[in-house]
Amino acid sequence: AGGGGLVYDLTFRNATNTVLDGFQIQFNKNSFGLAPTAQLTLQPIAPGCSASCQLAMGTTGPLAPPPCSRALQLAIKNSQQPVWYFSDTLAVEQLFLSDGILDRENYLNTWKSLPDANESMKMFAAVSVASVDNWVARLKTKHVFFMAQRQLQGTNQTVIYLSLKLPPATIVLVEVTTTVGTPGLKCCIKTSAPDVSPLVFDALETIMA
């Protein structure tokens, strides 16, 4: 995710003995509706040379059927060669959108509206929270947004409520229970699309560590 939205970084190296130009790209259906909003803009690449570009991405492309997957399949062609087919693996934590923040009322209403079957839990044994304020400030830079926190009565545990949004428009509610300063936390997720939960757990564990 770039400062102005989602981008896909590409680097091409010309290993042939002729200039390559006229590059075009196409994405297959994927779980997040990712598709280019413009065609590739590359200068001709001389033999033995490389070129890089950033491709602006939107989230209104065709969706692949469930279950949710990190796979991204694409086809690239140029004027001198046949179509090349590639498969990439998405870093889901890079897909969190900037408008995933919810106020308290919307958070609670959304949580209550979802069935218990849509909730899942995972322990992050190696993650610790030294300071809640610093931790949630760091998560905000990754588009994981703080909603509220509370102390569990009769314990030294803190519950932190967070939200995030995945393309094209999947809100994910996150409830973290931890003892500040002690390794290990319990992460609960509730969402209307529970098949994204395993991918979100992996992404959250990466950015929370």
Side-chain angles (χ1 to χ4, degrees):
L6 295 172
V7 296
Y8 192 65
D9 292 318
L10 298 111
T11 298
F12 298 84
R13 185 177 187 278
N14 184 355
T16 74
N17 58 4
T18 186
V19 174
L20 300 179
D21 61 12
F23 286 89
Q24 297 181 50
I25 190 168
Q26 183 174 332
F27 285 68
N28 201 357
K29 293 179 181 180
N30 57 81
S31 295
F32 302 101
L34 296 177
T37 58
Q39 266 301 332
L40 289 172
T41 53
L42 276 175
Q43 297 297 318
I45 307 175
C49 295
S50 300
S52 298
C53 68
Q54 283 193 330
L55 185 64
M57 302 290 288
T59 57
T60 58
L63 292 171
C68 190
S69 170
R70 296 194 299 152
L72 183 65
Q73 297 174 332
L74 55 148
I76 297 175
K77 64 176 291 188
N78 58 60
S79 299
Q80 290 74 34
Q81 295 178 313
V83 178
W84 295 86
Y85 297 94
F86 299 91
S87 182
D88 200 358
T89 301
L90 293 166
V92 173
E93 61 271 18
Q94 297 295 325
L95 301 179
F96 295 168
L97 300 176
S98 60
D99 60 345
I101 190 168
L102 294 179
D103 60 32
R104 180 182 180 86
E105 183 177 1
N106 283 333
Y107 191 104
L108 292 174
N109 288 341
T110 302
W111 188 281
K112 292 175 182 177
S113 71
L114 296 171
D116 291 344
N118 287 36
E119 183 177 350
S120 51
M121 185 273 290
K122 185 176 181 181
M123 298 299 298
F124 297 168
V127 177
S128 61
V129 180
S131 161
V132 173
D133 289 344
N134 291 341
W135 192 69
V136 298
R138 180 166 61 86
L139 292 182
K140 184 178 180 180
T141 68
K142 307 294 186 180
H143 295 164
V144 179
F145 299 99
F146 174 79
M147 194 282 292
Q149 72 178 81
R150 66 182 179 90
Q151 294 298 121
L152 279 181
Q153 188 173 4
T155 76
N156 59 351
Q157 292 188 310
T158 301
V159 184
I160 305 166
Y161 301 93
L162 308 161
S163 65
L164 61 95
K165 185 178 180 181
L166 278 170
T170 302
I171 293 293
V172 179
L173 307 179
V174 183
E175 179 187 287
V176 169
T177 305
T178 189
T179 300
V180 174
T182 302
L185 60 79
K186 181 176 76 172
C187 183
C188 291
I189 284 176
K190 205 170 189 183
T191 176
S192 61
D195 61 308
V196 309
S197 296
L199 304 185
V200 174
F201 278 131
D202 290 345
L204 287 175
E205 191 166 14
T206 296
I207 65 177
M208 287 179 176

